[in-house]
Amino acid sequence: MTDSGQLAPLRLESTPVLVADRLREGILDGTFPPRTQLSEVALAQQLSVSRGPIREAMQRLLQEGLLRGERNRGVFVVDLGASDVRDIYLARGAVERTAAAIVAEHGTEADFAAIQAKVDDLAAAVDDNWVELTRLDLQFHLALVAAAGSARLDRMFRTLMAESQLCIARLEPFYAGRGEVVREHQAILDALRIKDLAAADRLVAEHMEISATRLASGGTD
């Protein structure tokens, strides 16, 4: 309660945030394929909201890199080309290899337990839909970066999350089985636990390079 004896207002998700979440999910699961033009009017009718929240939600996704605007034409779902994919993974590699080096040297049992929980979540979700698996995949990497204890590394990584999830959503055909996703992440954590910086750095770098190469091989510019 406040000093005046009144209840503080509840902090609820705003309509633009909820709309952005719905649109983001639609982009990731293929409901809105690359290059699809999004209409404020149509979306407002479908979601039963005014155009204001739609406009705000689109602005969020433009900032995240999931949408692109064309002058005098409108807003479209982004179509990541090979160079975009390589650039995303280049940036992620720089952030995550730095984070891994810090965690390998200074990581605590609490840090490793937090990261292990994300691997366990991945393992428990191997039979779920791929979009959910991509979300959990990124939660592992977010936990890894968070364990480094650098607010700036964390902020840098978060700016890449939406584009990264879009990339991961396209990786499903390249895996023989979803268990392979779990094993890749567990191997990184195992190297961090034993403070094997060289192995952890190599595994993170390979994880980025392999994913970028797979996606870029089918991309266009």
Side-chain angles (χ1 to χ4, degrees):
M1 300 183 75
T2 64
D3 292 340
S4 63
Q6 296 180 343
L7 291 173
L10 293 173
R11 294 182 179 274
L12 300 177
E13 293 272 41
S14 67
T15 301
V17 171
L18 295 173
V19 172
D21 288 344
R22 184 71 62 85
L23 295 181
R24 189 184 298 106
E25 181 180 350
I27 292 170
L28 294 171
D29 68 15
T31 299
F32 303 118
R35 303 180 187 179
T36 298
Q37 183 172 12
L38 299 186
S39 163
E40 284 185 16
V41 174
L43 289 172
Q45 291 175 343
Q46 291 172 31
L47 297 176
S48 300
V49 297
S50 66
R51 292 176 63 179
I54 298 293
R55 193 175 300 114
E56 289 186 50
M58 285 183 172
Q59 188 59 43
R60 281 176 175 267
L61 300 188
L62 282 164
Q63 292 172 350
E64 291 179 8
L66 294 182
L67 298 178
R68 60 178 175 80
E70 291 189 15
R71 188 178 181 84
N72 299 323
R73 289 197 62 204
V75 176
F76 299 80
V77 177
V78 71
D79 184 16
L80 296 178
S83 61
D84 297 310
V85 169
R86 285 191 292 266
D87 196 42
I88 291 165
Y89 279 95
L90 174 68
R92 279 189 59 190
V95 171
E96 294 192 50
R97 290 174 73 179
T98 300
I102 296 170
V103 176
E105 184 174 359
H106 301 292
T108 65
E109 281 306 313
D111 293 329
F112 298 136
I115 301 171
Q116 182 66 61
K118 304 306 179 185
V119 179
D120 294 343
D121 288 343
L122 268 174
V126 290
D127 294 325
D128 290 348
N129 66 73
W130 185 259
V131 172
E132 174 63 7
L133 210 65
T134 66
R135 185 186 70 80
L136 294 173
D137 184 313
L138 274 177
Q139 289 302 307
F140 168 92
H141 294 280
L142 182 60
L144 167 60
V145 174
S150 168
R152 287 167 180 79
L153 282 178
D154 187 81
R155 186 163 63 242
M156 290 166 67
F157 181 79
R158 287 178 184 275
T159 65
L160 298 165
M161 284 186 66
E163 289 180 310
S164 295
Q165 191 170 0
L166 186 56
C167 287
I168 298 169
R170 292 164 47 185
L171 280 171
E172 183 176 14
F174 296 98
Y175 283 99
R178 295 184 179 186
E180 186 181 344
V181 179
V182 180
R183 289 190 292 274
E184 284 182 4
H185 292 81
Q186 185 67 61
I188 293 171
L189 175 56
D190 290 344
L192 293 172
R193 277 188 184 278
I194 63 173
K195 300 189 181 300
D196 189 338
L197 174 56
D201 183 71
R202 174 178 55 79
L203 289 168
V204 171
E206 288 178 354
H207 187 63
M208 299 298 156
E209 179 61 30
I210 291 172
S211 295
T213 299
R214 285 170 169 173
L215 290 172
S217 67
T220 58
D221 281 315

